[in-house]
Amino acid sequence: GLPVLQVVPHTSVPLHLSDVSDAADPEAAAIALLDADAEQPFDLELGPLVRTGLIRLAAREHILMVTLHHIVADGWSLDVLLTELSALYEAFREGRPSP
């Protein structure tokens, strides 16, 4: 009858690819996908409480979508996540090893 924290040792979160590059307005199509994902509820019992996706707007233009349930991360955690993602992306883009 009481909430209990459960830490899952390892889980895999699939990265779903959506290609809207052929749409009349790829940006509007991407926004529609982002809005639709934000409306999807999370299953708190089964999880995962994170969803990811990559939306292809053009050959070299993509949007990384990361949707988190609010109980997964706070502002501090999100700052750490975004800082690390930025550092990894920059290193990858410049052909450097992972920092």
Side-chain angles (χ1 to χ4, degrees):
L2 295 174
V4 176
L5 173 67
Q6 256 185 319
V7 177
V8 179
H10 179 268
T11 188
S12 178
V13 178
L15 180 66
H16 299 283
L17 177 62
S18 301
D19 189 342
V20 296
S21 61
D22 290 337
D25 185 350
E27 205 168 293
I31 290 170
L33 288 173
L34 294 166
D35 288 344
D37 186 75
E39 293 293 323
Q40 294 301 310
F42 287 96
D43 186 330
L44 296 177
E45 287 187 42
L46 298 178
L49 301 181
V50 176
R51 289 191 297 264
T52 61
L54 189 65
I55 303 172
R56 181 183 181 142
L57 299 171
R60 298 184 54 85
E61 187 176 358
H62 298 77
I63 296 173
L64 175 63
M65 176 179 64
V66 179
T67 308
L68 306 168
H69 189 280
H70 68 93
I71 64 173
V72 170
D74 58 8
W76 180 84
S77 302
L78 286 176
D79 185 51
V80 171
L81 174 66
L82 293 175
T83 300
E84 290 187 7
L85 274 176
S86 295
L88 288 167
Y89 181 75
E90 185 177 326
F92 174 76
R93 193 181 50 153
E94 294 174 359
R96 295 185 286 116
S98 170

